[in-house]
Amino acid sequence: MANTRIVTIARFTLLEAVRTRLPWLFIILLGLVLGTAYFIQQLAITESARMQIAFSAAATRFAAVFVLSLHILTSMVREFNDKGLELTLSFDLPRSHFILGRLLGFTLVALLVALIALLPQLLLAPLTAALQWGLSLVLELSIMTALSLFCIVTFKQLTPAASFVFGFYLLARALTAIRIMSDTPLVGAGTLSHQIISLLIDMLSLVLPALDQYAHTDWLIGQAASWSGIGANALQAAIYIALLGAAAAFDFYRRNL
């Protein structure tokens, strides 16, 4: 019975994404990305194909995260404002089942977005590299799905939730580079302020997922990925999804409706 409720909520979540034309919106955005990538290819003097693949992959990944996260946030805000949540929970539905159903449904939406994003890469890059990139993108989008759901349940408003989600994503993407720069500064090495900043960055690296290790553009232009590395990404994604899902459920239980 519980599984039926969760699957039903997930199904309606997926139908909501289709009926609000989310796939078509992402396809249009993807067309703009590919058009810009083709323009960059025509401007490049050398390695034009590599530049086209690199730009399209990076821009597609960011567009997928942006569209998916914004859809999740607006969908939940609309449900809160339209009192649809109170109606759903009035049918003797545990709040944990609602969160699990929503998380499963939004993860299916993430899978759909990743499949659409993968199609151009299958034409531009080698098959194995494109499949590895697509699988890693699914894992990255799944993490962002759980994070977006947690943030909107916690903050309850679109602006702070969106700000936290995109700030989290940019920081998690750039944290490795920030950590390398903090370990080898040009000036101020050994000072108290440098030690405090380095400690803070090291602590953040233990908490935040290493999103820079997901959906590498290098995989599509010659540097093959290892399946063991993708397996490590899958394990990390599973841990973060479980933690964020549990945190969202906990915060949802203590919320007064």
Side-chain angles (χ1 to χ4, degrees):
M1 185 65 177
N3 293 336
T4 303
R5 293 173 175 176
I6 294 173
V7 172
T8 301
I9 295 174
R11 175 175 171 269
F12 279 102
T13 300
L14 182 60
L15 287 176
E16 178 190 16
V18 174
R19 290 171 179 172
T20 54
R21 295 178 175 84
L22 176 68
W24 290 108
L25 173 63
F26 183 65
I27 289 173
I28 293 173
L29 189 58
L30 190 58
L32 295 176
V33 169
L34 294 177
T36 306
Y38 179 76
F39 178 72
I40 291 176
Q41 180 196 28
Q42 298 303 310
L43 292 180
I45 299 176
T46 60
E47 297 186 342
S48 57
R50 291 168 63 91
M51 292 190 65
Q52 181 186 20
I53 294 174
F55 176 83
S56 65
T60 298
R61 182 182 63 239
F62 180 78
V65 171
F66 177 80
V67 170
L68 176 66
S69 300
L70 198 59
H71 167 73
I72 295 171
L73 297 176
T74 54
S75 174
M76 293 298 296
V77 167
R78 183 168 57 249
E79 186 162 19
F80 292 155
N81 294 337
D82 293 344
K83 304 302 181 180
L85 179 61
E86 287 84 346
L87 178 62
T88 302
L89 296 180
S90 66
F91 294 104
D92 192 25
L93 177 70
R95 298 192 181 192
S96 59
H97 293 177
F98 174 80
I99 291 295
L100 288 175
R102 276 299 207 173
L103 181 59
L104 177 59
F106 286 133
T107 302
L108 294 176
V109 176
L111 178 60
L112 176 61
V113 171
L115 289 175
I116 297 174
L118 175 62
L119 294 178
Q121 310 309 323
L122 291 173
L123 301 176
L124 298 174
L127 177 61
T128 302
L131 292 177
Q132 290 177 333
W133 184 87
L135 178 58
S136 185
L137 180 62
V138 171
L139 299 174
E140 181 178 4
L141 293 180
S142 299
I143 294 176
M144 296 307 299
T145 295
L147 175 67
S148 299
L149 182 61
F150 165 72
C151 287
I152 197 60
V153 170
T154 301
F155 294 108
K156 306 174 186 177
Q157 296 182 358
L158 179 61
T159 300
S163 300
F164 187 91
V165 168
F166 296 125
F168 179 97
Y169 179 75
L170 294 176
L171 180 59
R173 268 280 171 184
L175 189 58
T176 299
I178 295 174
R179 187 177 184 183
I180 292 175
M181 288 187 290
S182 69
D183 291 339
T184 57
L186 296 177
V187 294
T191 61
L192 179 61
S193 60
H194 172 255
Q195 293 177 358
I196 294 175
I197 293 175
S198 296
L199 179 61
L200 177 61
I201 294 174
D202 290 339
M203 292 176 62
L204 285 175
S205 65
L206 295 176
V207 176
L208 298 181
L211 293 183
D212 59 304
Q213 302 299 321
Y214 292 76
H216 257 295
T217 303
D218 292 343
W219 299 350
L220 300 173
I221 56 178
Q223 185 177 347
S226 63
W227 288 107
S228 60
I230 295 179
N233 289 346
L235 177 61
Q236 184 185 66
I239 294 174
Y240 276 96
I241 291 170
L243 290 176
L244 290 170
F250 174 79
D251 202 48
F252 193 52
Y253 264 105
R254 68 182 184 85
R255 177 178 178 177
N256 293 323
L257 298 177

